Amino acid sequence: MDLQEQLEELRTSTQAQLQAIKAENAKELQDLRVKVLGKKGSLTELLKGLKDLPNELRPVVGKQVNEVRDVLTKAFEEQGRILEQAQIQAQLESESLDVTLPGRQISIGNRHVLSQTSQEIEDIFLGMGYQVVDGLEVEQDYYNFERMNLPKDHPARDMQDTFYISEDILLRTHTSPVQARTLDKHDFSKGPLKMISPGRVFRRDTDDATHSHQFHQIEGLVVGKNISMGDLKGTLELISKKMFGEDRSIRLRPSYFPFTEPSVEVDVSCFKCGGEGCNVCKKTGWIEILGAGMVHPRVLEMAGVDAEEYSGFAFGLGQERIAMLRYGINDIRGFYQGDSRFTEQFK
Ligand code: PHE
């Protein structure tokens, strides 16, 4: 093959190789350019053969070399443009942005269902002129038991065993000690005492679906002149209707608490079956929601309040119990595990 044929062969084979380069392998173009047109490339290599040609042929072949270089240079530029276009096109397609797609939703948290429950109950009582009082979770034996008419050897203490920090300091077993603390502070010359106190309480309970070693109560206390059991019943009826529906009625059953006399257990008519009997009310038509009673004269006297002149009622309701009944929650542990699949159901 003489030099001219080799030149022609280089031109056609380079053009064919150029055509074959794909957009995703655009780097091969540069490699091929160096291989053909570079300082040590094939064309330069062929150029070296010029000196061996007869004189009259040299200008002709030299011209041909220049032509091939021009043609190939243009071909490289052209193919470079084509590949660049193809690359841009591919990039546009892969990075295309659909501005009509809905945005990603940022999930906003919500108040815990127990906080919602106590907030709701607080609002109802605030509307009736009650004050909302904070209590202490770490309490003295004195307020938790003694002042609630549960002296050291009282058998009813057994039902409320708790965590002791020392002999006299414990985690409160109920919100009732707040009764004694607010009674101590209240100035009865300014009017009756009406308060509620929501908060956390503790018991030495084994955790199961309906028991937890910590839970939440709302204490209620009204002390004034001529406060009667009728006031208690009216108040509880109102709160039951607000929490469980206007059609609810309540019933009081005799019970026992050392700090109330008489004491009652309060049932609300079943909001699910309306009283006919179902699985929620265990076929009785009634659901127990709280304990209450008339404040024991001893509790008043220990606070220096004249039990002849003043009387009152108190109640204590379990926040978890109310929420479980209202929302059909059947495992108390759901309240405390912080699983968003649980908490988000109460938005
Ligand atoms: N403290 C009682 C309990 O935890 C409930 C209660 C409160 C009962 C006030 C009567 C009056 O079981």
Side-chain angles (χ1 to χ4, degrees):
M1 201 161 30
D2 67 18
L3 197 52
Q4 279 169 297
E5 280 168 347
Q6 284 181 10
L7 273 170
E8 190 51 25
E9 156 73 20
L10 181 67
R11 186 180 67 76
T12 48
S13 83
T14 305
Q15 277 172 331
Q17 285 178 68
L18 259 180
Q19 298 296 326
I21 296 175
K22 302 239 169 57
E24 57 267 32
N25 303 323
K27 219 186 88 50
E28 287 174 9
L29 183 93
Q30 189 53 29
D31 296 341
L32 185 62
R33 183 203 292 275
V34 172
K35 213 173 108 196
V36 178
L37 299 178
K39 271 201 195 109
K40 291 176 183 155
S42 328
L43 195 63
T44 319
E45 214 47 51
L46 288 183
L47 212 55
K48 285 181 188 157
L50 267 185
K51 62 179 192 305
D52 302 328
L53 286 180
N55 275 346
E56 68 277 15
L57 256 182
R58 267 187 219 157
V60 182
V61 179
K63 200 171 159 232
Q64 199 187 345
V65 169
N66 286 337
E67 272 167 15
V68 169
R69 178 182 284 120
D70 286 351
V71 166
L72 287 182
T73 304
K74 281 212 185 76
F76 272 105
E77 279 167 10
E78 177 62 15
Q79 185 66 3
R81 268 195 296 276
I82 290 169
L83 292 180
E84 197 182 353
Q85 276 306 316
Q87 255 179 332
I88 290 170
Q89 195 56 36
Q91 196 176 4
L92 280 176
E93 273 158 26
S94 71
E95 292 178 3
S96 68
L97 177 72
D98 184 351
V99 291
T100 66
L101 278 175
R104 244 175 238 136
Q105 209 128 58
I106 296 168
S107 66
I108 298 168
N110 57 291
R111 285 175 78 96
H112 193 277
V113 60
L114 286 177
S115 305
Q116 291 180 35
T117 306
S118 68
Q119 183 76 60
E120 224 176 294
I121 295 171
E122 281 172 39
D123 285 347
I124 296 166
F125 281 100
L126 279 170
M128 296 192 289
Y130 284 59
Q131 48 173 320
V132 180
V133 180
D134 262 339
L136 300 173
E137 291 177 5
V138 179
E139 188 49 285
Q140 297 171 32
D141 182 285
Y142 174 68
Y143 286 106
N144 193 79
F145 290 129
E146 306 259 330
R147 289 289 301 272
M148 297 327 285
N149 202 23
L150 279 138
K152 281 254 174 336
D153 52 0
H154 200 289
R157 280 196 178 206
D158 285 355
M159 292 189 308
Q160 299 195 4
D161 196 7
T162 182
F163 305 88
Y164 283 84
I165 301 212
S166 69
E167 186 118 354
D168 307 313
I169 311 281
L170 44 77
L171 299 185
R172 66 175 175 185
T173 58
H174 51 178
T175 42
S176 298
V178 188
Q179 288 190 32
R181 288 184 173 275
T182 30
L183 276 171
D184 285 353
K185 277 193 219 134
H186 189 71
D187 179 357
F188 280 93
S189 70
K190 299 220 165 91
L193 165 63
K194 293 159 77 180
M195 73 86 175
I196 59 163
S197 182
R200 188 181 307 218
V201 302
F202 308 82
R203 291 201 192 165
R204 207 204 62 99
D205 262 343
T206 311
D207 294 358
D208 64 24
T210 53
H211 293 87
S212 165
H213 63 280
Q214 55 171 29
F215 54 101
H216 299 78
Q217 291 187 328
I218 296 181
E219 193 77 11
L221 176 69
V222 172
V223 176
K225 288 178 179 160
N226 303 315
I227 304 292
S228 74
M229 195 105 179
D231 298 315
L232 171 63
K233 192 171 179 212
T235 306
L236 296 178
E237 217 158 52
L238 182 133
I239 185 85
S240 304
K241 285 182 195 291
K242 294 257 188 194
M243 296 307 284
F244 295 107
E246 281 303 317
D247 305 334
R248 300 282 73 77
S249 52
I250 60 164
R251 86 177 172 185
L252 308 183
R253 280 182 293 114
S255 184
Y256 172 76
F257 299 104
F259 37 91
T260 47
E261 180 59 35
S263 300
V264 290
E265 214 73 72
V266 183
D267 298 340
V268 61
S269 60
C270 183
F271 51 86
K272 193 173 177 200
C273 64
E276 277 164 34
C278 67
N279 60 328
V280 172
C281 58
K282 299 190 186 109
K283 308 247 184 282
T284 63
W286 297 94
I287 302 167
E288 187 191 317
I289 52 164
L290 54 89
M294 300 308 290
V295 179
H296 197 292
R298 289 271 304 131
V299 173
L300 295 176
E301 277 158 12
M302 280 187 275
V305 179
D306 184 353
E308 295 289 331
E309 201 185 345
Y310 291 94
S311 58
F313 65 77
F315 58 86
L317 58 83
Q319 292 185 37
E320 281 85 350
R321 180 152 177 80
I322 302 274
M324 286 170 89
L325 288 169
R326 280 180 92 189
Y327 302 112
I329 300 165
N330 47 30
D331 195 328
I332 198 169
R333 291 165 287 202
F335 290 113
Y336 317 119
Q337 284 160 346
D339 187 332
S340 58
R341 288 169 301 183
F342 175 88
T343 56
E344 277 175 1
Q345 290 178 50
F346 307 100
K347 276 199 175 152

